[in-house]
PDB file of all heavy atoms in Angstrom:
ATOM      1  N   LYS E   1     174.567 -77.764 159.281  1.00 37.00           N
ATOM      2  CA  LYS E   1     174.947 -78.880 160.252  1.00 37.00           C
ATOM      3  C   LYS E   1     176.017 -78.309 161.264  1.00 37.00           C
ATOM      4  O   LYS E   1     177.099 -77.664 160.865  1.00 37.00           O
ATOM      5  CB  LYS E   1     175.626 -79.952 159.533  1.00 37.00           C
ATOM      6  CG  LYS E   1     174.553 -80.999 158.850  1.00 37.00           C
ATOM      7  CD  LYS E   1     175.166 -82.281 158.473  1.00 37.00           C
ATOM      8  CE  LYS E   1     174.119 -83.118 157.970  1.00 37.00           C
ATOM      9  NZ  LYS E   1     174.709 -84.529 157.519  1.00 37.00           N
ATOM     10  N   ILE E   2     175.651 -78.448 162.517  1.00 32.00           N
ATOM     11  CA  ILE E   2     176.604 -78.095 163.531  1.00 32.00           C
ATOM     12  C   ILE E   2     177.133 -79.407 164.219  1.00 32.00           C
ATOM     13  O   ILE E   2     176.447 -80.207 164.637  1.00 32.00           O
ATOM     14  CB  ILE E   2     175.886 -77.229 164.629  1.00 32.00           C
ATOM     15  CG1 ILE E   2     175.272 -75.969 163.944  1.00 32.00           C
ATOM     16  CG2 ILE E   2     176.919 -76.839 165.747  1.00 32.00           C
ATOM     17  CD1 ILE E   2     174.593 -75.084 164.937  1.00 32.00           C
ATOM     18  N   PHE E   3     178.520 -79.513 164.045  1.00 35.00           N
ATOM     19  CA  PHE E   3     178.998 -80.779 164.612  1.00 35.00           C
ATOM     20  C   PHE E   3     179.282 -80.714 166.026  1.00 35.00           C
ATOM     21  O   PHE E   3     179.885 -79.849 166.550  1.00 35.00           O
ATOM     22  CB  PHE E   3     180.404 -81.051 163.907  1.00 35.00           C
ATOM     23  CG  PHE E   3     180.145 -81.422 162.391  1.00 35.00           C
ATOM     24  CD1 PHE E   3     180.231 -80.318 161.426  1.00 35.00           C
ATOM     25  CD2 PHE E   3     179.878 -82.620 162.068  1.00 35.00           C
ATOM     26  CE1 PHE E   3     180.066 -80.604 160.070  1.00 35.00           C
ATOM     27  CE2 PHE E   3     179.621 -82.900 160.633  1.00 35.00           C
ATOM     28  CZ  PHE E   3     179.700 -81.804 159.737  1.00 35.00           C
ATOM     29  N   HIS E   4     178.781 -81.711 166.757  1.00 41.00           N
ATOM     30  CA  HIS E   4     178.874 -81.771 168.241  1.00 41.00           C
ATOM     31  C   HIS E   4     179.889 -83.017 168.336  1.00 41.00           C
ATOM     32  O   HIS E   4     179.895 -83.870 167.746  1.00 41.00           O
ATOM     33  CB  HIS E   4     177.516 -81.995 168.819  1.00 41.00           C
ATOM     34  CG  HIS E   4     177.568 -82.038 170.309  1.00 41.00           C
ATOM     35  ND1 HIS E   4     177.827 -83.137 171.002  1.00 41.00           N
ATOM     36  CD2 HIS E   4     177.268 -81.059 171.178  1.00 41.00           C
ATOM     37  CE1 HIS E   4     177.694 -82.721 172.393  1.00 41.00           C
ATOM     38  NE2 HIS E   4     177.422 -81.497 172.394  1.00 41.00           N
ATOM     39  N   PRO E   5     180.585 -82.958 169.505  1.00 39.00           N
ATOM     40  CA  PRO E   5     181.517 -84.202 169.746  1.00 39.00           C
ATOM     41  C   PRO E   5     180.809 -85.474 169.661  1.00 39.00           C
ATOM     42  O   PRO E   5     181.420 -86.493 169.402  1.00 39.00           O
ATOM     43  CB  PRO E   5     182.083 -83.748 171.143  1.00 39.00           C
ATOM     44  CG  PRO E   5     181.951 -82.241 171.249  1.00 39.00           C
ATOM     45  CD  PRO E   5     180.764 -81.878 170.448  1.00 39.00           C
ATOM     46  N   LYS E   6     179.578 -85.435 170.049  1.00 41.00           N
ATOM     47  CA  LYS E   6     178.901 -86.729 170.261  1.00 41.00           C
ATOM     48  C   LYS E   6     177.894 -87.048 169.090  1.00 41.00           C
ATOM     49  O   LYS E   6     177.562 -88.215 168.789  1.00 41.00           O
ATOM     50  CB  LYS E   6     178.080 -86.899 171.701  1.00 41.00           C
ATOM     51  CG  LYS E   6     179.075 -86.884 172.806  1.00 41.00           C
ATOM     52  CD  LYS E   6     178.278 -87.146 174.066  1.00 41.00           C
ATOM     53  CE  LYS E   6     179.336 -87.167 175.260  1.00 41.00           C
ATOM     54  NZ  LYS E   6     178.473 -87.343 176.577  1.00 41.00           N
ATOM     55  N   ARG E   7     177.281 -85.969 168.537  1.00 40.00           N
ATOM     56  CA  ARG E   7     176.297 -86.226 167.483  1.00 40.00           C
ATOM     57  C   ARG E   7     176.218 -85.025 166.570  1.00 40.00           C
ATOM     58  O   ARG E   7     176.724 -83.866 166.916  1.00 40.00           O
ATOM     59  CB  ARG E   7     174.922 -86.503 168.090  1.00 40.00           C
ATOM     60  CG  ARG E   7     174.331 -85.334 168.804  1.00 40.00           C
ATOM     61  CD  ARG E   7     172.979 -85.742 169.437  1.00 40.00           C
ATOM     62  NE  ARG E   7     172.295 -84.662 170.174  1.00 40.00           N
ATOM     63  CZ  ARG E   7     172.649 -84.283 171.411  1.00 40.00           C
ATOM     64  NH1 ARG E   7     173.554 -85.027 172.132  1.00 40.00           N
ATOM     65  NH2 ARG E   7     172.006 -83.252 171.954  1.00 40.00           N
ATOM     66  N   HIS E   8     175.589 -85.258 165.354  1.00 42.00           N
ATOM     67  CA  HIS E   8     175.349 -84.127 164.534  1.00 42.00           C
ATOM     68  C   HIS E   8     174.024 -83.511 164.786  1.00 42.00           C
ATOM     69  O   HIS E   8     172.961 -84.240 164.988  1.00 42.00           O
ATOM     70  CB  HIS E   8     175.385 -84.577 163.069  1.00 42.00           C
ATOM     71  CG  HIS E   8     176.701 -85.119 162.577  1.00 42.00           C
ATOM     72  ND1 HIS E   8     177.860 -84.405 162.698  1.00 42.00           N
ATOM     73  CD2 HIS E   8     176.965 -86.372 162.263  1.00 42.00           C
ATOM     74  CE1 HIS E   8     178.820 -85.151 162.169  1.00 42.00           C
ATOM     75  NE2 HIS E   8     178.358 -86.337 161.938  1.00 42.00           N
ATOM     76  N   ILE E   9     173.872 -82.255 164.856  1.00 39.00           N
ATOM     77  CA  ILE E   9     172.573 -81.554 165.000  1.00 39.00           C
ATOM     78  C   ILE E   9     172.150 -80.733 163.816  1.00 39.00           C
ATOM     79  O   ILE E   9     173.069 -79.873 163.369  1.00 39.00           O
ATOM     80  CB  ILE E   9     172.741 -80.660 166.238  1.00 39.00           C
ATOM     81  CG1 ILE E   9     173.119 -81.422 167.421  1.00 39.00           C
ATOM     82  CG2 ILE E   9     171.347 -79.882 166.433  1.00 39.00           C
ATOM     83  CD1 ILE E   9     173.258 -80.591 168.751  1.00 39.00           C
ATOM     84  N   LEU E  10     170.992 -80.981 163.308  1.00 41.00           N
ATOM     85  CA  LEU E  10     170.514 -80.185 162.105  1.00 41.00           C
ATOM     86  C   LEU E  10     169.787 -79.094 162.569  1.00 41.00           C
ATOM     87  O   LEU E  10     168.639 -79.083 163.232  1.00 41.00           O
ATOM     88  CB  LEU E  10     169.685 -81.174 161.265  1.00 41.00           C
ATOM     89  CG  LEU E  10     169.192 -80.650 159.925  1.00 41.00           C
ATOM     90  CD1 LEU E  10     170.477 -80.373 159.083  1.00 41.00           C
ATOM     91  CD2 LEU E  10     168.355 -81.585 159.200  1.00 41.00           C
ATOM     92  N   CYS E  11     170.179 -77.818 162.296  1.00 41.00           N
ATOM     93  CA  CYS E  11     169.650 -76.648 162.650  1.00 41.00           C
ATOM     94  C   CYS E  11     169.179 -75.813 161.531  1.00 41.00           C
ATOM     95  O   CYS E  11     169.912 -75.658 160.445  1.00 41.00           O
ATOM     96  CB  CYS E  11     170.626 -75.798 163.472  1.00 41.00           C
ATOM     97  SG  CYS E  11     171.205 -76.446 164.979  1.00 41.00           S
ATOM     98  N   TYR E  12     167.886 -75.323 161.629  1.00 45.00           N
ATOM     99  CA  TYR E  12     167.299 -74.539 160.561  1.00 45.00           C
ATOM    100  C   TYR E  12     167.367 -73.019 161.098  1.00 45.00           C
ATOM    101  O   TYR E  12     166.748 -72.793 162.120  1.00 45.00           O
ATOM    102  CB  TYR E  12     165.971 -74.890 160.355  1.00 45.00           C
ATOM    103  CG  TYR E  12     165.858 -76.331 159.592  1.00 45.00           C
ATOM    104  CD1 TYR E  12     165.659 -77.475 160.284  1.00 45.00           C
ATOM    105  CD2 TYR E  12     165.850 -76.352 158.228  1.00 45.00           C
ATOM    106  CE1 TYR E  12     165.605 -78.660 159.642  1.00 45.00           C
ATOM    107  CE2 TYR E  12     165.760 -77.605 157.552  1.00 45.00           C
ATOM    108  CZ  TYR E  12     165.682 -78.765 158.367  1.00 45.00           C
ATOM    109  OH  TYR E  12     165.621 -79.892 157.732  1.00 45.00           O
ATOM    110  N   ASN E  13     167.976 -72.219 160.434  1.00 47.00           N
ATOM    111  CA  ASN E  13     167.996 -70.805 160.886  1.00 47.00           C
ATOM    112  C   ASN E  13     166.766 -70.037 160.519  1.00 47.00           C
ATOM    113  O   ASN E  13     165.736 -70.633 159.800  1.00 47.00           O
ATOM    114  CB  ASN E  13     169.257 -69.956 160.355  1.00 47.00           C
ATOM    115  CG  ASN E  13     169.154 -69.963 158.813  1.00 47.00           C
ATOM    116  OD1 ASN E  13     168.120 -70.065 158.140  1.00 47.00           O
ATOM    117  ND2 ASN E  13     170.409 -69.950 158.163  1.00 47.00           N
ATOM    118  N   HIS E  14     166.579 -68.821 161.054  1.00 50.00           N
ATOM    119  CA  HIS E  14     165.398 -68.083 160.822  1.00 50.00           C
ATOM    120  C   HIS E  14     165.005 -67.783 159.423  1.00 50.00           C
ATOM    121  O   HIS E  14     163.902 -67.898 158.984  1.00 50.00           O
ATOM    122  CB  HIS E  14     165.439 -66.848 161.640  1.00 50.00           C
ATOM    123  CG  HIS E  14     164.333 -65.888 161.571  1.00 50.00           C
ATOM    124  ND1 HIS E  14     163.086 -66.298 162.127  1.00 50.00           N
ATOM    125  CD2 HIS E  14     164.034 -64.715 160.909  1.00 50.00           C
ATOM    126  CE1 HIS E  14     162.213 -65.371 161.912  1.00 50.00           C
ATOM    127  NE2 HIS E  14     162.755 -64.364 161.209  1.00 50.00           N
ATOM    128  N   THR E  15     166.115 -67.681 158.702  1.00 55.00           N
ATOM    129  CA  THR E  15     165.938 -67.333 157.262  1.00 55.00           C
ATOM    130  C   THR E  15     165.311 -68.599 156.461  1.00 55.00           C
ATOM    131  O   THR E  15     164.375 -68.385 155.671  1.00 55.00           O
ATOM    132  CB  THR E  15     167.220 -67.010 156.495  1.00 55.00           C
ATOM    133  OG1 THR E  15     167.813 -65.951 157.198  1.00 55.00           O
ATOM    134  CG2 THR E  15     167.121 -66.677 154.993  1.00 55.00           C
ATOM    135  N   SER E  16     165.744 -69.793 156.812  1.00 53.00           N
ATOM    136  CA  SER E  16     165.224 -70.936 156.108  1.00 53.00           C
ATOM    137  C   SER E  16     163.708 -71.166 156.524  1.00 53.00           C
ATOM    138  O   SER E  16     162.990 -71.647 155.775  1.00 53.00           O
ATOM    139  CB  SER E  16     166.024 -72.124 156.616  1.00 53.00           C
ATOM    140  OG  SER E  16     165.814 -72.524 157.956  1.00 53.00           O
ATOM    141  N   MET E  17     163.369 -70.776 157.785  1.00 53.00           N
ATOM    142  CA  MET E  17     161.942 -70.876 158.135  1.00 53.00           C
ATOM    143  C   MET E  17     161.078 -69.944 157.397  1.00 53.00           C
ATOM    144  O   MET E  17     159.943 -70.332 156.884  1.00 53.00           O
ATOM    145  CB  MET E  17     161.828 -70.670 159.651  1.00 53.00           C
ATOM    146  CG  MET E  17     162.415 -71.649 160.565  1.00 53.00           C
ATOM    147  SD  MET E  17     162.380 -71.298 162.254  1.00 53.00           S
ATOM    148  CE  MET E  17     160.515 -71.400 162.543  1.00 53.00           C
ATOM    149  N   LYS E  18     161.621 -68.760 157.046  1.00 55.00           N
ATOM    150  CA  LYS E  18     160.917 -67.766 156.284  1.00 55.00           C
ATOM    151  C   LYS E  18     160.719 -68.173 154.859  1.00 55.00           C
ATOM    152  O   LYS E  18     159.757 -68.207 154.239  1.00 55.00           O
ATOM    153  CB  LYS E  18     161.550 -66.448 156.320  1.00 55.00           C
ATOM    154  CG  LYS E  18     161.461 -65.725 157.739  1.00 55.00           C
ATOM    155  CD  LYS E  18     162.267 -64.506 157.779  1.00 55.00           C
ATOM    156  CE  LYS E  18     161.738 -63.343 156.804  1.00 55.00           C
ATOM    157  NZ  LYS E  18     162.453 -62.103 156.963  1.00 55.00           N
ATOM    158  N   LYS E  19     161.776 -68.763 154.317  1.00 54.00           N
ATOM    159  CA  LYS E  19     161.764 -69.308 153.036  1.00 54.00           C
ATOM    160  C   LYS E  19     160.854 -70.586 152.901  1.00 54.00           C
ATOM    161  O   LYS E  19     160.163 -70.728 151.806  1.00 54.00           O
ATOM    162  CB  LYS E  19     163.213 -69.673 152.489  1.00 54.00           C
ATOM    163  CG  LYS E  19     164.010 -68.347 152.291  1.00 54.00           C
ATOM    164  CD  LYS E  19     165.375 -68.689 151.573  1.00 54.00           C
ATOM    165  CE  LYS E  19     166.144 -67.528 151.346  1.00 54.00           C
ATOM    166  NZ  LYS E  19     167.342 -67.778 150.638  1.00 54.00           N
ATOM    167  N   THR E  20     160.816 -71.338 153.846  1.00 53.00           N
ATOM    168  CA  THR E  20     159.884 -72.558 153.852  1.00 53.00           C
ATOM    169  C   THR E  20     158.396 -72.076 153.821  1.00 53.00           C
ATOM    170  O   THR E  20     157.589 -72.614 153.080  1.00 53.00           O
ATOM    171  CB  THR E  20     160.159 -73.411 155.102  1.00 53.00           C
ATOM    172  OG1 THR E  20     161.401 -73.910 155.160  1.00 53.00           O
ATOM    173  CG2 THR E  20     159.128 -74.546 155.193  1.00 53.00           C
ATOM    174  N   ALA E  21     158.104 -70.972 154.619  1.00 54.00           N
ATOM    175  CA  ALA E  21     156.757 -70.435 154.647  1.00 54.00           C
ATOM    176  C   ALA E  21     156.489 -69.879 153.303  1.00 54.00           C
ATOM    177  O   ALA E  21     155.410 -69.902 152.765  1.00 54.00           O
ATOM    178  CB  ALA E  21     156.564 -69.402 155.738  1.00 54.00           C
ATOM    179  N   GLY E  22     157.533 -69.287 152.676  1.00 59.00           N
ATOM    180  CA  GLY E  22     157.329 -68.716 151.266  1.00 59.00           C
ATOM    181  C   GLY E  22     156.990 -69.764 150.257  1.00 59.00           C
ATOM    182  O   GLY E  22     156.281 -69.431 149.415  1.00 59.00           O
ATOM    183  N   LYS E  23     157.566 -70.977 150.519  1.00 58.00           N
ATOM    184  CA  LYS E  23     157.292 -71.997 149.567  1.00 58.00           C
ATOM    185  C   LYS E  23     155.717 -72.400 149.606  1.00 58.00           C
ATOM    186  O   LYS E  23     155.219 -72.578 148.550  1.00 58.00           O
ATOM    187  CB  LYS E  23     158.160 -73.231 149.779  1.00 58.00           C
ATOM    188  CG  LYS E  23     157.888 -74.382 148.833  1.00 58.00           C
ATOM    189  CD  LYS E  23     158.873 -75.552 149.212  1.00 58.00           C
ATOM    190  CE  LYS E  23     158.584 -76.738 148.136  1.00 58.00           C
ATOM    191  NZ  LYS E  23     159.590 -77.790 148.334  1.00 58.00           N
ATOM    192  N   TYR E  24     155.320 -72.572 150.808  1.00 66.00           N
ATOM    193  CA  TYR E  24     153.855 -72.989 150.993  1.00 66.00           C
ATOM    194  C   TYR E  24     152.914 -71.795 150.412  1.00 66.00           C
ATOM    195  O   TYR E  24     151.927 -72.030 149.909  1.00 66.00           O
ATOM    196  CB  TYR E  24     153.515 -73.337 152.371  1.00 66.00           C
ATOM    197  CG  TYR E  24     154.150 -74.766 152.766  1.00 66.00           C
ATOM    198  CD1 TYR E  24     155.277 -74.741 153.581  1.00 66.00           C
ATOM    199  CD2 TYR E  24     153.698 -75.855 152.237  1.00 66.00           C
ATOM    200  CE1 TYR E  24     155.742 -75.971 153.872  1.00 66.00           C
ATOM    201  CE2 TYR E  24     154.135 -77.104 152.504  1.00 66.00           C
ATOM    202  CZ  TYR E  24     155.230 -77.171 153.348  1.00 66.00           C
ATOM    203  OH  TYR E  24     155.843 -78.303 153.639  1.00 66.00           O
ATOM    204  N   ARG E  25     153.371 -70.641 150.634  1.00 75.00           N
ATOM    205  CA  ARG E  25     152.536 -69.456 150.203  1.00 75.00           C
ATOM    206  C   ARG E  25     152.526 -69.398 148.677  1.00 75.00           C
ATOM    207  O   ARG E  25     151.605 -69.213 148.011  1.00 75.00           O
ATOM    208  CB  ARG E  25     153.301 -68.134 150.649  1.00 75.00           C
ATOM    209  CG  ARG E  25     152.402 -66.951 150.567  1.00 75.00           C
ATOM    210  CD  ARG E  25     152.715 -65.708 151.626  1.00 75.00           C
ATOM    211  NE  ARG E  25     154.141 -65.609 151.609  1.00 75.00           N
ATOM    212  CZ  ARG E  25     154.869 -65.748 152.676  1.00 75.00           C
ATOM    213  NH1 ARG E  25     154.292 -66.145 153.806  1.00 75.00           N
ATOM    214  NH2 ARG E  25     156.292 -65.521 152.719  1.00 75.00           N
ATOM    215  N   TYR E  26     153.689 -69.777 148.045  1.00 69.00           N
ATOM    216  CA  TYR E  26     153.817 -69.846 146.590  1.00 69.00           C
ATOM    217  C   TYR E  26     152.833 -71.052 146.156  1.00 69.00           C
ATOM    218  O   TYR E  26     152.008 -70.758 145.063  1.00 69.00           O
ATOM    219  CB  TYR E  26     155.191 -70.258 146.155  1.00 69.00           C
ATOM    220  CG  TYR E  26     155.420 -70.522 144.685  1.00 69.00           C
ATOM    221  CD1 TYR E  26     155.465 -69.668 143.678  1.00 69.00           C
ATOM    222  CD2 TYR E  26     155.390 -71.849 144.338  1.00 69.00           C
ATOM    223  CE1 TYR E  26     155.581 -69.965 142.402  1.00 69.00           C
ATOM    224  CE2 TYR E  26     155.628 -72.236 143.007  1.00 69.00           C
ATOM    225  CZ  TYR E  26     155.729 -71.284 141.969  1.00 69.00           C
ATOM    226  OH  TYR E  26     155.872 -71.517 140.753  1.00 69.00           O
ATOM    227  N   SER E  27     152.799 -72.135 146.848  1.00 72.00           N
ATOM    228  CA  SER E  27     151.897 -73.178 146.412  1.00 72.00           C
ATOM    229  C   SER E  27     150.409 -72.875 146.535  1.00 72.00           C
ATOM    230  O   SER E  27     149.646 -73.208 145.723  1.00 72.00           O
ATOM    231  CB  SER E  27     152.185 -74.485 147.298  1.00 72.00           C
ATOM    232  OG  SER E  27     153.515 -74.873 147.051  1.00 72.00           O
ATOM    233  N   LEU E  28     150.021 -72.114 147.671  1.00 78.00           N
ATOM    234  CA  LEU E  28     148.699 -71.575 147.657  1.00 78.00           C
ATOM    235  C   LEU E  28     148.313 -70.584 146.687  1.00 78.00           C
ATOM    236  O   LEU E  28     147.136 -70.630 146.161  1.00 78.00           O
ATOM    237  CB  LEU E  28     148.590 -70.941 149.141  1.00 78.00           C
ATOM    238  CG  LEU E  28     148.564 -71.926 150.246  1.00 78.00           C
ATOM    239  CD1 LEU E  28     148.571 -71.233 151.633  1.00 78.00           C
ATOM    240  CD2 LEU E  28     147.311 -72.980 150.219  1.00 78.00           C
ATOM    241  N   ILE E  29     149.242 -69.755 146.259  1.00 79.00           N
ATOM    242  CA  ILE E  29     148.951 -68.828 145.176  1.00 79.00           C
ATOM    243  C   ILE E  29     148.713 -69.635 143.865  1.00 79.00           C
ATOM    244  O   ILE E  29     147.751 -69.158 143.182  1.00 79.00           O
ATOM    245  CB  ILE E  29     150.145 -67.767 145.021  1.00 79.00           C
ATOM    246  CG1 ILE E  29     150.141 -66.873 146.308  1.00 79.00           C
ATOM    247  CG2 ILE E  29     149.922 -66.986 143.868  1.00 79.00           C
ATOM    248  CD1 ILE E  29     151.402 -66.027 146.324  1.00 79.00           C
ATOM    249  N   LEU E  30     149.549 -70.556 143.574  1.00 77.00           N
ATOM    250  CA  LEU E  30     149.391 -71.370 142.391  1.00 77.00           C
ATOM    251  C   LEU E  30     148.114 -72.066 142.398  1.00 77.00           C
ATOM    252  O   LEU E  30     147.385 -72.146 141.394  1.00 77.00           O
ATOM    253  CB  LEU E  30     150.540 -72.196 142.370  1.00 77.00           C
ATOM    254  CG  LEU E  30     150.727 -73.178 141.038  1.00 77.00           C
ATOM    255  CD1 LEU E  30     150.675 -72.289 139.728  1.00 77.00           C
ATOM    256  CD2 LEU E  30     151.864 -74.078 141.099  1.00 77.00           C
ATOM    257  N   LEU E  31     147.800 -72.649 143.535  1.00 77.00           N
ATOM    258  CA  LEU E  31     146.537 -73.399 143.686  1.00 77.00           C
ATOM    259  C   LEU E  31     145.347 -72.468 143.444  1.00 77.00           C
ATOM    260  O   LEU E  31     144.309 -72.897 142.715  1.00 77.00           O
ATOM    261  CB  LEU E  31     146.351 -74.015 145.070  1.00 77.00           C
ATOM    262  CG  LEU E  31     145.064 -74.680 145.392  1.00 77.00           C
ATOM    263  CD1 LEU E  31     144.817 -75.921 144.541  1.00 77.00           C
ATOM    264  CD2 LEU E  31     145.033 -75.151 146.944  1.00 77.00           C
ATOM    265  N   ARG E  32     145.284 -71.305 143.908  1.00 79.00           N
ATOM    266  CA  ARG E  32     144.281 -70.300 143.807  1.00 79.00           C
ATOM    267  C   ARG E  32     144.116 -69.991 142.250  1.00 79.00           C
ATOM    268  O   ARG E  32     142.945 -69.985 141.688  1.00 79.00           O
ATOM    269  CB  ARG E  32     144.447 -68.973 144.587  1.00 79.00           C
ATOM    270  CG  ARG E  32     143.394 -67.987 144.423  1.00 79.00           C
ATOM    271  CD  ARG E  32     143.753 -66.781 145.151  1.00 79.00           C
ATOM    272  NE  ARG E  32     145.053 -66.140 144.525  1.00 79.00           N
ATOM    273  CZ  ARG E  32     145.668 -65.153 145.007  1.00 79.00           C
ATOM    274  NH1 ARG E  32     145.455 -64.676 146.258  1.00 79.00           N
ATOM    275  NH2 ARG E  32     146.817 -64.743 144.439  1.00 79.00           N
ATOM    276  N   GLU E  33     145.134 -69.685 141.588  1.00 79.00           N
ATOM    277  CA  GLU E  33     145.224 -69.357 140.234  1.00 79.00           C
ATOM    278  C   GLU E  33     144.694 -70.532 139.312  1.00 79.00           C
ATOM    279  O   GLU E  33     144.002 -70.260 138.328  1.00 79.00           O
ATOM    280  CB  GLU E  33     146.592 -68.936 139.680  1.00 79.00           C
ATOM    281  CG  GLU E  33     147.111 -67.629 140.345  1.00 79.00           C
ATOM    282  CD  GLU E  33     146.099 -66.475 140.136  1.00 79.00           C
ATOM    283  OE1 GLU E  33     145.613 -66.379 138.975  1.00 79.00           O
ATOM    284  OE2 GLU E  33     145.888 -65.792 140.992  1.00 79.00           O
ATOM    285  N   LEU E  34     145.066 -71.783 139.734  1.00 79.00           N
ATOM    286  CA  LEU E  34     144.626 -72.908 138.902  1.00 79.00           C
ATOM    287  C   LEU E  34     143.042 -73.057 139.104  1.00 79.00           C
ATOM    288  O   LEU E  34     142.437 -73.378 138.130  1.00 79.00           O
ATOM    289  CB  LEU E  34     145.341 -74.151 139.340  1.00 79.00           C
ATOM    290  CG  LEU E  34     146.713 -74.340 138.858  1.00 79.00           C
ATOM    291  CD1 LEU E  34     147.391 -75.555 139.535  1.00 79.00           C
ATOM    292  CD2 LEU E  34     146.901 -74.466 137.271  1.00 79.00           C
ATOM    293  N   VAL E  35     142.575 -72.863 140.270  1.00 79.00           N
ATOM    294  CA  VAL E  35     141.174 -72.997 140.550  1.00 79.00           C
ATOM    295  C   VAL E  35     140.448 -71.926 139.784  1.00 79.00           C
ATOM    296  O   VAL E  35     139.347 -72.220 139.166  1.00 79.00           O
ATOM    297  CB  VAL E  35     140.876 -72.922 142.006  1.00 79.00           C
ATOM    298  CG1 VAL E  35     139.323 -72.872 142.361  1.00 79.00           C
ATOM    299  CG2 VAL E  35     141.449 -74.058 142.780  1.00 79.00           C
ATOM    300  N   LYS E  36     140.891 -70.672 139.782  1.00 75.00           N
ATOM    301  CA  LYS E  36     140.251 -69.597 138.990  1.00 75.00           C
ATOM    302  C   LYS E  36     140.226 -69.960 137.545  1.00 75.00           C
ATOM    303  O   LYS E  36     139.206 -69.700 136.755  1.00 75.00           O
ATOM    304  CB  LYS E  36     140.987 -68.235 139.317  1.00 75.00           C
ATOM    305  CG  LYS E  36     140.688 -67.693 140.573  1.00 75.00           C
ATOM    306  CD  LYS E  36     141.671 -66.698 141.004  1.00 75.00           C
ATOM    307  CE  LYS E  36     141.541 -65.382 140.032  1.00 75.00           C
ATOM    308  NZ  LYS E  36     142.442 -64.305 140.418  1.00 75.00           N
ATOM    309  N   THR E  37     141.388 -70.526 137.000  1.00 74.00           N
ATOM    310  CA  THR E  37     141.446 -70.713 135.748  1.00 74.00           C
ATOM    311  C   THR E  37     140.458 -71.936 135.264  1.00 74.00           C
ATOM    312  O   THR E  37     139.829 -71.846 134.173  1.00 74.00           O
ATOM    313  CB  THR E  37     142.866 -71.321 135.344  1.00 74.00           C
ATOM    314  OG1 THR E  37     143.801 -70.241 135.553  1.00 74.00           O
ATOM    315  CG2 THR E  37     143.028 -71.540 133.773  1.00 74.00           C
ATOM    316  N   ASP E  38     140.264 -72.931 136.167  1.00 73.00           N
ATOM    317  CA  ASP E  38     139.388 -74.061 135.900  1.00 73.00           C
ATOM    318  C   ASP E  38     137.925 -73.495 135.712  1.00 73.00           C
ATOM    319  O   ASP E  38     137.267 -73.899 134.755  1.00 73.00           O
ATOM    320  CB  ASP E  38     139.480 -75.027 137.020  1.00 73.00           C
ATOM    321  CG  ASP E  38     140.686 -75.914 136.973  1.00 73.00           C
ATOM    322  OD1 ASP E  38     141.281 -75.984 135.866  1.00 73.00           O
ATOM    323  OD2 ASP E  38     141.067 -76.589 137.927  1.00 73.00           O
TER     324      ASP E  38
END
């Protein structure tokens, strides 16, 4: 959170974006493994 005199601005840095992509990649890998197991 970066505090501005008039409002709060929620900023996501580059690292968080990469980690967010990693989360969905993890979900896709898990989905693939579950389908193969089924």
Side-chain angles (χ1 to χ4, degrees):
K1 277 190 176 180
I2 300 178
F3 291 93
H4 188 272
K6 293 185 178 179
R7 65 183 183 274
H8 298 299
I9 303 176
L10 186 63
C11 296
Y12 292 90
N13 59 27
H14 181 66
T15 304
S16 68
M17 292 176 65
K18 290 175 65 176
K19 290 188 175 183
T20 300
K23 179 176 182 177
Y24 287 108
R25 192 156 47 242
Y26 170 81
S27 297
L28 287 174
I29 293 172
L30 183 59
L31 174 62
R32 183 186 64 192
E33 293 303 317
L34 285 175
V35 171
K36 288 169 61 177
T37 302
D38 285 342

